[in-house]
Amino acid sequence: MKLSLDTGNLDEVREANRWGVLRGVTTNPTHIAKEEKDFLPLVKEICSIVDGDVSIETLSQDADVLVRQGHDIAQIADNAVVKIAMHPEGLAATRKLSDEGIKVNVTLCFNPAQALLAAEAGAYIVSPFLGRLDDIATDSMKVLSDICEIYALQGYDTQVLAASLRSPLHVVEAARLGADIATMPFKVFQSLVKHPLTDAGFKRFSDDWEEAKAQLGELPPSMQEA
Ligand code: G3P
């Protein structure tokens, strides 16, 4: 499962990318608005940092406008993916853009019926929002599992991107259920790496090493630094 960052923040993208495990970024109008930066330079910079898909959202409920926005977004960079919300006009635009070879991420998907439509419209990615389903007491993992099962049975190529993830458990469950991509806020990304036993174990190794260092003979220079 590819790990993707859900953000418009350049520092977060750079830091996650430095870890060597970042495979994409999803932006949305809320994330972009929060950065208070010029749109085009910001999204171009994100696309240049990340070696993977960067989803950039359209904003219209008119298929023709969406197609024009899709053309503009596709021009931004080779790895730019056009994000289009799930509604009839969005599906029509997805069909048109997909037929032209432009990659579309159908977003704001909340059930398997919508995911089925996205795949039939030729979407490159479908984004079920898990956290927002949990917020309204709906079993998001059942929805994700149904979508993954249907896609596998029907042989769809559309990738399932688990979105609106709020915790490391969401990420792990998404992987277990077969999502192709998981996108998450930087806070969740950071929480994936943390474990108190890892911290405690590292501290003990460091303390033991420090105590024994003098008796260990000649050390490679880099290990003297430790
Ligand atoms: O990628 C979808 C995401 O931006 C929505 O997350 O936490 O606002 O539901 P959230």
Side-chain angles (χ1 to χ4, degrees):
M1 185 177 75
K2 289 178 272 190
L3 301 178
S4 164
L5 207 55
D6 191 36
T7 189
N9 184 279
L10 284 171
D11 292 337
E12 293 179 353
V13 174
R14 284 195 193 100
E15 179 58 13
N17 192 54
R18 209 171 59 81
W19 296 6
V21 291
L22 186 66
R23 303 277 300 280
V25 169
T26 52
T27 66
N28 65 31
T30 309
H31 293 325
I32 298 288
K34 213 162 71 187
E35 296 307 309
E36 296 181 359
K37 288 194 158 111
D38 288 345
F39 170 72
L40 274 177
L42 176 61
V43 290
K44 271 187 188 159
E45 181 75 17
I46 294 174
C47 289
S48 75
I49 298 169
V50 185
D51 185 13
D53 294 324
V54 176
S55 293
I56 301 166
E57 195 145 348
T58 51
L59 274 168
S60 175
Q61 297 215 348
D62 177 299
D64 292 334
V65 178
L66 285 169
V67 168
R68 288 202 295 278
Q69 292 180 354
H71 288 155
D72 288 340
I73 289 170
Q75 293 292 315
I76 291 173
D78 287 347
N79 55 343
V81 172
V82 180
K83 209 170 166 188
I84 296 183
M86 165 58 63
H87 51 72
E89 296 291 306
L91 287 171
T94 299
R95 173 82 278 155
K96 175 95 182 16
L97 291 166
S98 301
D99 286 349
E100 293 174 18
I102 292 175
K103 293 175 175 172
V104 177
N105 172 352
V106 174
T107 188
L108 288 168
C109 170
F110 292 96
N111 66 29
Q114 292 181 324
L116 191 58
L117 288 170
E120 284 294 329
Y124 170 66
I125 291 173
V126 66
S127 293
F129 277 33
L130 306 188
R132 291 191 195 183
L133 282 170
D134 290 347
D135 291 345
I136 56 161
T138 301
D139 184 351
S140 63
M141 291 305 160
K142 172 81 172 76
V143 171
L144 179 63
S145 148
D146 286 349
I147 294 171
C148 291
E149 187 184 343
I150 291 166
Y151 274 27
L153 275 171
Q154 298 294 330
Y156 289 133
D157 290 334
T158 307
Q159 298 177 78
V160 179
L161 181 151
S164 181
L165 302 181
R166 308 269 171 82
S167 71
L169 213 57
H170 264 157
V171 180
V172 171
E173 274 298 285
R176 196 176 65 79
L177 295 173
D180 300 289
I181 311 160
T183 196
M184 67 207 82
F186 188 57
K187 196 163 53 92
V188 175
F189 211 92
Q190 284 175 307
S191 69
L192 292 179
V193 81
K194 291 301 265 180
H195 196 288
L197 290 178
T198 305
D199 296 343
F202 183 74
K203 183 171 181 331
R204 188 187 304 171
F205 289 152
S206 301
D207 292 349
D208 291 348
W209 180 263
E210 202 47 49
E211 216 178 291
K213 215 164 163 182
Q215 305 147 34
L216 296 176
E218 190 184 351
L219 291 170
S222 62
M223 295 196 74
Q224 285 167 18
E225 283 170 28

